[in-house]
């Protein structure tokens, strides 16, 4: 039987084999910008040279603005792959390189965003752009200067989300943050990306990531109280099955095990890739119990009786 460490490794490997959903669905015109940032961040470690090179990327702030828009929208809606693709297409048609409230509204309403939600998102976006531009002049400078994840995360929450809290806001904060701190995304915060700092990223802990973490057994070598409670309930269920009785599902509240899921992501060695891999497996396979097609099929515990609410 595979160890929990092996399960985590396989989840991270799957995360490395795919692209982040937001990166995958960027407006076509921005894809080249991502590759330019990757090339520059890998090549220039001297900060002044790095900044000078970034200044030559035309449209970089527009790419960051688009990511801001997606992050803000994610606090109001669950963004499916198809919605992300449609949003990218609408944005490219109506906004592209001419940013205005009316153009943004057309793009959002074209993909079915409620008008009131669209107005909130646009208002927050324009406010955040004004705050960053007043202090840093350019969006890319704000991100490129980041050195510590906690400071960057606090900035994102304060500037983009107006200091608000809650689970939905947290989802948007993490979305924006992870896209700029990892070499497989848009490694603009190079000082975080190419040191050990990116390993301190704390994943959000959504339903699908949590399902895969628990059902696969990726948490089983964790000795924390929450982990021990989950293991005890799983053992009770397995014992019931062995006796041939009518067994209840193990139903857990997401809020009660989110800390455990975050810790498992941390000890995986690369929480960004763990989150990406677990989420993808959760959406594509675990949700519909497609175990025989799953990338974890030969290491997963397949404890599909674990349910979350």
């Amino acid at each position: 039987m595979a160890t929990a460490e092996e399960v985590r490794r396989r989840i991270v490997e799957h995360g490395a084999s795919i692209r982040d959903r937001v990166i995958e669905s960027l407006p076509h015109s921005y894809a080249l910008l991502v590759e330019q940032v990757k090339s520059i961040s890998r090549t220039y470690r001297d900060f002044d040279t790095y900044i000078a090179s970034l200044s030559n990327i035309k449209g970089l702030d527009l790419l960051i603005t688009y990511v801001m828009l997606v992050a803000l929208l994610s606090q109001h809606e669950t963004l499916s792959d198809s919605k992300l693709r449609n949003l990218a297409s609408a944005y490219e048609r109506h906004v592209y390189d001419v940013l205005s409230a009316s153009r943004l509204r057309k793009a959002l309403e074209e993909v079915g965003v409620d008008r009131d939600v669209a107005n909130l998102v646009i208002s927050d976006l324009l406010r955040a752009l004004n705050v960053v531009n007043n202090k840093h002049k350019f969006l890319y400078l704000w991100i490129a200067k980041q050195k510590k994840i906690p400071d960057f995360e606090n900035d994102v929450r304060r500037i983009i989300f107006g200091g608000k809290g809650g689970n939905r806001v947290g989802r948007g904060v993490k979305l924006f943050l992870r896209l700029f701190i990892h070499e497989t995304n848009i490694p603009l915060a190079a000082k975080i990306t190419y040191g050990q700092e990116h390993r301190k990223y704390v994943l959000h802990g959504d339903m699908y990531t949590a399902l895969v973490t628990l059902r696969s057994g990726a948490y089983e070598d964790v000795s924390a109280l929450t982990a021990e409670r989950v293991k005890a309930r799983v053992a009770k269920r397995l014992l019931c099955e062995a006796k041939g009785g009518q067994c209840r599902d193990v139903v857990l509240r997401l809020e009660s095990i989110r800390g455990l899921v975050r810790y498992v992501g941390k000890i995986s060695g690369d929480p960004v890739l763990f989150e990406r891999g677990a989420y993808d497996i959760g959406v594509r396979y675990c949700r519909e119990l497609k175990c025989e097609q799953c990338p974890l099929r030969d290491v997963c515990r397949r404890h599909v009786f674990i349910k979350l609410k």
Side-chain angles (χ1 to χ4, degrees), residues 141-158:
L141 286 178
W142 168 51
I143 298 176
K145 291 177 180 178
Q146 299 293 335
K147 299 177 182 179
K148 300 292 184 181
I149 283 182
D151 294 338
F152 191 14
E153 185 165 344
N154 287 338
D155 264 10
V156 171
R157 185 178 296 276
R158 176 177 57 83

Side-chain angles (χ1 to χ4, degrees), residues 39-199:
S39 177
I40 290 172
S41 67
R42 290 169 182 158
T43 304
Y44 301 107
R45 297 305 167 87
D46 175 75
F47 185 70
D48 290 338
T49 306
Y50 176 56
I51 293 299
S53 300
L54 289 177
S55 68
N56 293 321
I57 303 180
K58 185 180 179 181
L60 181 54
D61 273 10
L62 292 171
L63 166 61
I64 299 168
T65 300
Y66 179 77
V67 175
M68 274 190 182
L69 177 72
V70 173
L72 283 165
L73 185 58
S74 73
Q75 71 178 313
H76 299 285
E77 300 188 7
T78 299
L79 300 177
S80 64
D81 290 351
S82 60
K83 187 141 197 176
L84 282 171
R85 288 193 296 270
N86 292 339
L87 177 62
S89 297
Y91 190 89
E92 199 152 27
R93 278 194 298 275
H94 297 291
V95 184
Y96 186 46
D97 59 352
V98 181
L99 188 71
S100 70
S102 59
R103 287 171 176 265
L104 286 166
R105 190 173 293 109
K106 284 181 181 179
L108 291 173
E109 291 185 352
E110 183 174 303
V111 295
V113 176
D114 178 82
R115 187 174 183 84
D116 289 339
V117 171
N119 287 336
L120 282 173
V121 169
I122 293 167
S123 175
D124 285 344
L125 176 64
L126 296 180
R127 174 192 50 76
L129 292 175
N130 186 56
V131 170
V132 177
N133 288 331
N134 282 340
K135 185 172 182 180
H136 300 280
K137 193 173 181 180
F138 298 106
L139 297 180
Y140 75 85
L141 286 178
W142 168 51
I143 298 176
K145 291 177 180 178
Q146 299 293 335
K147 299 177 182 179
K148 300 292 184 181
I149 283 182
D151 294 338
F152 191 14
E153 185 165 344
N154 287 338
D155 264 10
V156 171
R157 185 178 296 276
R158 176 177 57 83
I159 294 172
I160 301 179
F161 295 91
K164 291 180 288 187
N167 180 52
R168 290 173 178 263
V169 171
R171 179 171 62 192
V173 170
K174 300 294 185 180
L175 185 156
F176 187 88
L177 186 70
R178 72 168 186 262
L179 290 184
F180 295 105
I181 64 171
H182 201 274
E183 62 180 343
T184 62
N185 291 331
I186 314 169
L188 191 55
K191 291 183 179 181
I192 294 176
T193 301
Y194 294 105
Q196 295 298 310
E197 187 68 16
H198 75 278
R199 297 181 184 275

Side-chain angles (χ1 to χ4, degrees), residues 10-11 14-15 18 21 81 206-216 273-291 293-296 300 304 306 308:
R10 292 284 292 277
I11 293 173
H14 180 68
I18 59 177
R21 297 185 313 123
D81 290 351
D206 63 90
M207 183 73 71
Y208 299 118
T209 301
L211 268 181
V212 171
T213 300
L214 298 177
R215 287 177 171 180
S216 68
L273 293 183
F274 181 90
E275 181 177 42
R276 185 192 304 169
Y279 180 88
D280 185 75
I281 291 169
V283 169
R284 299 182 189 279
Y285 307 101
C286 206
R287 175 172 58 176
E288 299 180 12
L289 301 184
K290 296 180 178 179
C291 296
Q293 303 170 39
C294 177
L296 302 181
C300 181
V304 296
I306 294 178
L308 294 178

